[in-house]
Amino acid sequence: MKVNLFFKIIFVTLFAIVVNIFIYFAFGSVYSAPLLNIDSFKEQYESGVYQYRWLSTSLLIYIYNFLESLPFRIRLKMDFWDKNAQPNMFFAYAFLNTFFLISANIVLLLITETKYFVANQSEKIFVITLSTLSIGLSQFVLVPYDCSSYFFLFVFALIFLKYLKNKRLILLLVLISILMISTLNRESSALSLSFAAVFLYNKYGLNKKSWLPMVYLVIGFLATYIGVRLAVDSFEIRNENFFVGNVTQTRSLFGILFWIVFFVFSLLVSNNRQTTRNILIFHLFSLPYIIMCFYTGALYEIRLYIPIFLSCLMISKLSIDKIKIN
């Protein structure tokens, strides 16, 4: 059955809303309970490596302040694990992340509608719904920047497919701008570099057409990554070393199991040998991010693998052979 684009946009929007309504309001937030307080939130996110992820952090504080300024209170029955939790802080998380989840879904839908995305209509919807559910599953850890980072990841991928077709300078400048904005949001923006490297390498091999755009993109990433640290007169890349705990603690081992299962899943749904190879190459290019996750992240927080998984979902269905150079 052929469904028009408008109807699909309505569906993926409502699907995102439904998933987040139940994730946020049918389950109690245990893992992130202490951060549902504006003072505790600022204490964490205005220090350490978190202070550099100011884009969505600032948006969440803005939404919280707006809700606090309203002459009425949102009346919903809420049970919180932490006695200091503030309902408006929780609502700010819900509103911000639902908005960006909807936005991410719409952009992913546009990617599936390109001629480079080789899948039937059922598979296209399956990819979007699976993406939404995997993001929802990971939100037992409440952070202000994950859903927005997925949005930027998909926007970069969509524009990059256009760039790969005609290599226009304006599109490269747009990609650099998106990457810089994304880096102000979360360092996982580096995975956009891995995504670009996979297809540039596949299309052109190791020559100027592949490495020169990557040089400009890497410069844009590093300029933002370093610049924001210089701006706050602090240069931290980690809060503490989690490596030993990540390879010894039981719950972290479950996190590693999640990585393995979802990695294998992306291989199982891959279209062919070439897309499978692209997924493996993507993981190779993503090694700096993966190493940092083991070193500085808590692997029990499965959100760390989600941007890799979402990228692999796209790669599993993308065929660069269909991209004809103008």
Side-chain angles (χ1 to χ4, degrees):
M1 180 179 74
K2 192 162 185 175
V3 182
N4 65 49
L5 182 61
F6 177 75
F7 181 83
K8 290 180 182 178
I9 290 175
I10 296 298
F11 171 77
V12 299
T13 297
L14 292 177
F15 191 79
I17 292 173
V18 167
V19 168
N20 261 15
I21 282 177
F22 284 95
I23 290 296
Y24 279 83
F25 299 105
F27 298 90
S29 180
V30 179
Y31 194 89
S32 303
L35 295 178
L36 296 179
N37 175 279
I38 188 62
D39 294 326
S40 300
F41 178 86
K42 287 183 176 180
E43 182 180 353
Q44 171 160 319
Y45 286 100
E46 293 180 357
S47 63
V49 296
Y50 304 110
Q51 65 185 309
Y52 311 124
R53 306 167 185 172
W54 62 265
L55 184 59
S56 289
T57 300
S58 299
L59 283 174
L60 186 134
I61 293 174
Y62 175 83
I63 295 171
Y64 167 80
N65 289 334
F66 172 76
L67 294 174
E68 285 288 295
S69 69
L70 293 176
F72 59 88
R73 291 288 178 262
I74 300 174
R75 302 289 182 184
L76 286 176
K77 185 179 183 300
M78 300 295 299
D79 295 310
F80 295 109
W81 286 85
D82 193 285
K83 63 180 182 180
N84 295 317
Q86 299 169 301
N88 281 342
M89 196 64 186
F90 185 75
F91 295 142
Y93 272 108
F95 293 151
L96 177 68
N97 287 334
T98 300
F99 171 80
F100 276 112
L101 181 58
I102 292 170
S103 302
N105 272 8
I106 292 174
V107 178
L108 180 56
L109 172 63
L110 296 178
I111 293 173
T112 66
E113 291 296 307
T114 66
K115 59 185 178 182
Y116 319 122
F117 198 89
V118 183
N120 59 39
Q121 293 300 319
S122 298
E123 290 172 331
K124 291 177 181 179
I125 292 298
F126 170 76
V127 165
I128 299 169
T129 53
L130 179 61
S131 166
T132 306
L133 291 172
S134 63
I135 292 171
L137 178 64
S138 71
Q139 287 188 88
F140 69 87
V141 184
L142 291 178
V143 294
Y145 38 70
D146 276 358
C147 289
S148 51
S149 73
Y150 308 142
F151 166 72
F152 290 121
L153 180 73
F154 291 147
V155 170
F156 182 93
L158 180 63
I159 303 301
F160 178 78
L161 291 175
K162 296 181 181 295
Y163 169 76
L164 201 58
K165 180 181 178 182
N166 55 40
K167 301 297 291 283
R168 292 174 60 191
L169 177 60
I170 185 64
L171 290 178
L172 180 59
L173 294 175
V174 171
L175 287 172
I176 294 172
S177 300
I178 293 169
L179 187 63
M180 295 177 74
I181 295 171
S182 181
T183 305
L184 291 174
N185 185 65
R186 184 185 171 195
E187 297 90 337
S188 61
S189 59
L191 293 175
S192 292
L193 296 173
S194 304
F195 182 90
V198 168
F199 291 105
L200 286 170
Y201 171 74
N202 272 258
K203 195 70 177 177
Y204 303 109
L206 291 175
N207 60 47
K208 187 176 180 180
K209 289 185 178 180
S210 60
W211 63 256
L212 188 57
M214 286 304 304
V215 168
Y216 292 132
L217 290 170
V218 170
I219 290 174
F221 171 80
L222 290 178
T224 310
Y225 184 88
I226 296 172
V228 71
R229 283 159 172 76
L230 294 177
V232 298
D233 196 25
S234 170
F235 203 100
E236 297 185 45
I237 61 172
R238 67 179 179 89
N239 283 331
E240 56 183 297
N241 188 344
F242 286 99
F243 181 78
V244 174
N246 279 331
V247 296
T248 58
Q249 293 178 358
T250 301
R251 73 176 191 174
S252 293
L253 295 178
F254 280 121
I256 293 175
L257 179 62
F258 177 91
W259 282 51
I260 295 171
V261 169
F262 275 65
F263 166 66
V264 172
F265 181 88
S266 66
L267 297 178
L268 290 175
V269 300
S270 179
N271 277 353
N272 51 51
R273 184 175 294 179
Q274 181 60 56
T275 51
T276 298
R277 180 171 175 268
N278 288 344
I279 290 172
L280 296 175
I281 294 174
F282 175 79
H283 278 79
L284 178 64
F285 287 143
S286 301
L287 275 178
Y289 172 82
I290 293 172
I291 291 171
M292 289 302 293
C293 285
F294 273 79
Y295 182 52
T296 68
L299 294 187
Y300 182 67
E301 298 183 6
I302 58 174
R303 50 178 284 274
L304 296 175
Y305 190 73
I306 293 299
I308 298 180
F309 176 67
L310 297 179
S311 299
C312 290
L313 270 184
M314 290 189 289
I315 293 171
S316 71
K317 302 297 178 185
L318 285 172
S319 174
I320 61 170
D321 293 334
K322 291 184 173 290
I323 299 179
K324 306 299 181 183
I325 306 300
N326 289 344

